[in-house]
Amino acid sequence: MNRKLVIKPITTADFNERAQIDLVDFQSVPDGKFKWILNYQDHATKFVILRPLESKRATEVVNELLSILLTFGAPKILQSDNGREFVNSVISELKDLWPECVIVHGRPRHPQSQGSIERSNQDVEHMLRAWMADNKSKKWSVGLNFVQFQKNSSFHRTIGRSRYKALFGNDPKIGLSTSNLPSDLLKKLATEEDLEHISQIKETKTRSMVCSICKVEVDLPQSEIAENNEIICQLCDSSKKIQIQRELGHEGQIIAAEKMIKVNNRIQLYSTFTI
């Protein structure tokens, strides 16, 4: 009996441990000089960053990749289906521009793990074509920004939350439209002074306290101090929320990986008995 080896799908616990890049061919619908799309995805949070490209040359890919990495930081492992030679040339050119950045090439993906970025590529293409149709525009290089925001804001089944929430710890805000202000009041707002007037901000008695995590002094309303014995500043509170969201997202990855292994085992068992 010759059984195939079942490879466990890769799960990643934290942001920037592993990232995947793929190129989406849009040569059939060129937007001026742009003919390709760079799809960069963090493996843990599934957060997606999309960039229009003129070509698939490693030099151009690196220029866009560098902009992403200098904003969000660099992953330890970079993975792609575009071939080891392509990724090695990308990493090599990246090293020339940013010597302090050390990234290794990920193992070639197998069928059990490559589905995520492939599904992302298909989603991007479908969503982008829908945006072009809805807006009666062929400027997909502009629509790419809206598609990126929509993908990162939407619920992701595997991690059980939006990509945005997995990365930042909360759902994205869209200016005042995501505030609690009534819509009729929102239409009247034009300046910060208008906002202060409508919000009717009241003076609240505060007390200087030390954050129990970072030990920095913060001014908190007396009511919040009475309700909560543990004093946590806003930045530490945000960090705590982010950590919780990523841990829950990782649990979702593990559950999905275990389900995938069971399915593959059943397929192989069935194949063994039908040979």
Side-chain angles (χ1 to χ4, degrees):
M1 187 184 299
N2 185 19
R3 286 192 175 184
K4 293 181 181 178
L5 176 65
V6 176
I7 303 174
K8 185 176 180 180
I10 298 169
T11 61
T12 310
D14 201 6
F15 177 67
N16 263 345
E17 289 290 322
R18 178 185 297 267
Q20 299 166 325
I21 58 169
D22 258 10
L23 302 180
V24 183
D25 188 348
F26 249 66
Q27 294 182 97
S28 61
V29 194
D31 175 6
K33 61 184 180 180
F34 298 119
K35 299 175 183 177
W36 295 83
I37 296 171
L38 170 65
N39 184 357
Y40 177 92
Q41 178 174 279
D42 176 68
H43 192 271
T45 63
K46 309 303 180 188
F47 195 85
V48 168
I49 301 173
L50 305 172
R51 293 287 187 271
L53 298 173
E54 296 180 31
S55 70
K56 60 176 182 177
R57 294 191 304 269
T59 304
E60 187 178 355
V61 172
V62 168
N63 285 335
E64 290 297 337
L65 191 58
L66 190 62
S67 172
I68 295 169
L69 303 188
L70 288 173
T71 302
F72 292 92
K76 297 176 183 176
I77 301 169
L78 188 64
Q79 201 168 19
S80 176
D81 271 350
N82 295 105
R84 182 175 288 272
E85 185 177 335
F86 170 78
V87 179
N88 281 340
S89 61
V90 166
I91 292 174
S92 177
E93 291 204 32
L94 186 63
K95 179 72 175 175
D96 290 339
L97 293 171
W98 191 11
E100 295 83 7
C101 180
V102 180
I103 299 177
V104 299
H105 184 293
R107 290 187 295 271
R109 297 204 297 277
H110 42 79
Q112 288 93 337
S113 68
Q114 68 186 9
S116 179
I117 192 76
E118 288 179 355
R119 285 191 297 272
S120 179
N121 289 343
Q122 292 172 5
D123 285 348
V124 167
E125 184 170 351
H126 294 156
M127 292 168 70
L128 199 50
R129 291 184 185 276
W131 182 90
M132 292 165 66
D134 291 343
N135 291 274
K136 296 179 176 57
S137 171
K138 293 184 179 180
K139 293 287 184 182
W140 54 258
S141 60
V142 176
L144 211 54
N145 297 305
F146 292 95
V147 170
Q148 175 182 303
F149 183 79
Q150 188 178 345
K151 274 189 69 64
N152 288 329
S153 304
S154 61
F155 181 85
H156 191 284
R157 181 175 53 83
T158 300
I159 59 176
R161 65 217 67 248
S162 70
R163 298 166 173 84
Y164 191 99
K165 193 168 188 175
L167 180 57
F168 297 109
N170 54 266
D171 290 316
K173 296 179 176 62
I174 311 175
L176 289 170
S177 58
T178 46
S179 68
N180 294 323
L181 293 174
S183 57
D184 58 328
L185 291 180
L186 290 177
K187 296 176 183 178
K188 301 176 183 178
L189 294 175
T191 67
E192 184 176 354
E193 288 76 16
D194 294 338
L195 179 61
E196 290 178 354
H197 177 70
I198 291 176
S199 300
Q200 294 180 342
I201 300 172
K202 298 179 180 179
E203 291 292 329
T204 305
K205 287 186 178 181
T206 61
R207 181 179 168 189
S208 182
M209 303 290 289
V210 176
C211 173
S212 58
I213 297 176
C214 67
K215 308 305 179 185
V216 171
E217 278 196 4
V218 290
D219 291 328
L220 293 176
Q222 293 280 15
S223 57
E224 289 187 18
I225 297 172
E227 294 170 2
N228 188 2
N229 293 326
E230 186 181 21
I231 305 302
I232 302 177
C233 71
Q234 190 172 358
L235 287 175
C236 288
D237 185 51
S238 296
S239 298
K240 197 173 180 180
K241 288 177 181 176
I242 291 171
Q243 182 182 357
I244 291 171
Q245 294 301 327
R246 292 186 187 172
E247 287 175 355
L248 292 172
H250 186 226
E251 288 176 12
Q253 288 186 58
I254 294 173
I255 293 170
E258 290 173 347
K259 287 180 179 177
M260 196 176 293
I261 290 173
K262 288 179 182 177
V263 170
N264 289 330
N265 284 337
R266 289 196 204 101
I267 293 172
Q268 288 198 18
L269 185 62
Y270 176 77
S271 301
T272 302
F273 285 110
T274 53
I275 293 175

